Amino acid sequence: MIRNELQPAACRILSVKHESMHEWTFRVETDIKVSHGQFMQLSIPRVGEAPISVSMQGDGWLEFTLRPVGKVTNEIFEKKAGEYLFLRGPYGNGWPKHRIDGKHLVVITGGTGLAPVRSLLNHYYDHMDEVKDIHLISGFKNDESIVFTEDLAKWKEKFTTTYALDNDEKEGFRTGMVTAFVSEIPWKDFGEDYTVLVVGPPPMMKFTGLELLKNGVSEENIWMSFERKMSCAIGKCGHCRIDETYVCLDGPVFMYTVAKDLVD
C-alpha cells in the first residue's frame, strides 16, 4: 500500500529526554525513512501542527528536539512516553551528502541549530572513511542552553571540535561567538576539496556566511538550512515564501549562492 505523505500517522512516544533547561528530545516509534536534514510535521489533533527537523534516527524510530515556543510545542511538552504524536512527511531537501563524501567537512552551528545536523554528524562518526576529516564549531548562548552533551563529548574523539558559549565561561568551552573561530579552520590546506554546513538563528547564519567569505571560502561550498521558516511544508500557506522561493519546497537546505538572499 502506498503511504499518503499528507496523512498524519499516529506514532507512539518511546522516550522523552531533557537536553537542557528549555529543549527536550522526543523519540517516536516509526518506520518512516528520512534523509539527513529533512523535517517532519508533528501534530496533535484539534491543536495544530509544527514543522520540526529530525535530530536523530535509528531502526524503527526518529528523534525530534524542540522547545516550547507556541501552542503546538507547548502541548507536545505535556506528552509522556507511551502517549502518541501524529507525524506526516518527510519533507524538504536534506544535506547534500553527495557534495560531502570524500571531502573535508566543516560544520558550524548555533544553539539548537545543532539538531538538524546531528544525525549526519553521527553517521560520519560511524563512517569516518567516507570523509577526509570533520571540523565542528558549535556555539551556545550559555551553560543552560547546551544540548546533546553526550554527543559533544563523543565527537571530540574523532572530530576537530570547538565548543563555545557566547559570554559565559565553562571548562571545555571557549568564550565568544562562532564567527570568532572561523579563521582557525585550516582552509588553505583544503584547496577546494571541502564542504561547509551552517545552521542556527538567522543573525548567526548571516554573519557566519560573511565571515566565511572573508576567509576565502567559496559560495558554492557553503550550505545553510532554513528549517526555522517552515510552516505547512507543501507550499500552500505561503508563510515560508521569500520572493519567488518557497523554502519548504526548494529547501530547507540551500547553497549559499541562494541562501545569501534568504538570510534575514
Side-chain angles (χ1 to χ4, degrees):
M1 184 175 66
I2 299 176
R3 185 173 62 87
N4 182 358
E5 292 186 355
L6 299 181
Q7 177 66 46
C11 300
R12 185 166 60 94
I13 299 172
L14 298 175
S15 64
V16 180
K17 180 181 180 181
H18 293 202
E19 298 287 353
S20 69
M21 176 177 290
H22 301 292
E23 287 84 14
W24 296 3
T25 293
F26 293 78
R27 178 174 290 191
V28 180
E29 185 177 33
T30 177
D31 291 324
I32 296 173
K33 302 302 180 184
V34 179
S35 297
H36 303 292
Q38 285 189 301
F39 66 97
M40 302 284 295
Q41 289 283 21
L42 275 60
S43 63
I44 298 176
R46 296 185 297 278
V47 176
E49 63 179 6
I52 306 293
S53 290
V54 176
S55 63
M56 194 58 195
Q57 54 189 293
D59 186 16
W61 55 266
L62 297 174
E63 286 187 351
F64 303 90
T65 302
L66 58 151
R67 60 164 55 195
V69 293
K71 180 173 65 174
V72 178
T73 49
N74 288 342
E75 287 289 336
I76 291 175
F77 266 59
E78 297 296 322
K79 296 289 185 180
K80 300 177 177 60
E83 296 185 294
Y84 286 81
L85 287 176
F86 285 75
L87 271 59
R88 68 175 173 92
Y91 298 107
N93 299 311
W95 298 109
K97 194 170 181 298
H98 65 288
R99 299 285 295 267
I100 299 171
D101 288 351
K103 298 183 178 182
H104 302 276
L105 173 61
V106 178
V107 178
I108 306 174
T109 69
T112 52
L114 185 56
V117 79
R118 178 188 175 213
S119 67
L120 182 71
L121 287 171
N122 277 318
H123 169 82
Y124 284 123
Y125 180 89
D126 294 330
H127 302 88
M128 286 297 291
D129 58 311
E130 294 182 7
V131 289
K132 291 187 174 179
D133 54 31
I134 295 178
H135 295 258
L136 171 62
I137 302 175
S138 286
F140 305 92
K141 184 177 181 180
N142 51 41
D143 188 8
E144 295 177 347
S145 64
I146 299 171
V147 294
F148 310 131
T149 54
E150 294 177 4
D151 287 317
L152 293 175
K154 179 180 73 173
W155 291 335
K156 286 184 178 181
E157 301 170 4
K158 297 183 181 180
F159 305 166
T160 299
T161 59
T162 299
Y163 302 145
L165 303 179
D166 291 354
N167 297 300
D168 291 358
E169 295 184 358
K170 178 181 175 65
E171 184 178 356
F173 288 75
R174 299 172 69 178
T175 302
M177 304 295 182
V178 294
T179 50
F181 312 108
V182 170
S183 62
E184 298 179 3
I185 301 294
W187 302 108
K188 292 183 179 179
D189 296 340
F190 297 166
E192 284 296 312
D193 201 20
Y194 65 93
T195 299
V196 185
L197 310 182
V198 181
V199 59
M204 171 266 175
M205 293 202 295
K206 174 181 179 179
F207 290 105
T208 298
L210 294 175
E211 189 65 26
L212 288 167
L213 297 183
K214 284 171 56 178
N215 281 268
V217 177
S218 301
E219 291 186 355
E220 294 78 8
N221 290 345
I222 305 171
W223 297 79
M224 293 181 169
S225 174
F226 288 78
E227 60 98 13
R228 290 170 180 258
K229 291 185 175 292
M230 298 294 95
S231 188
C232 75
I234 56 175
K236 299 300 183 183
C237 72
H239 288 164
C240 75
R241 181 180 176 183
I242 304 175
D243 294 327
E244 299 304 315
T245 300
Y246 284 85
V247 176
C248 65
L249 299 180
D250 304 318
V253 174
F254 293 92
M255 184 186 289
Y256 189 68
T257 52
V258 175
K260 64 183 179 181
D261 295 322
L262 302 178
V263 175
D264 295 333

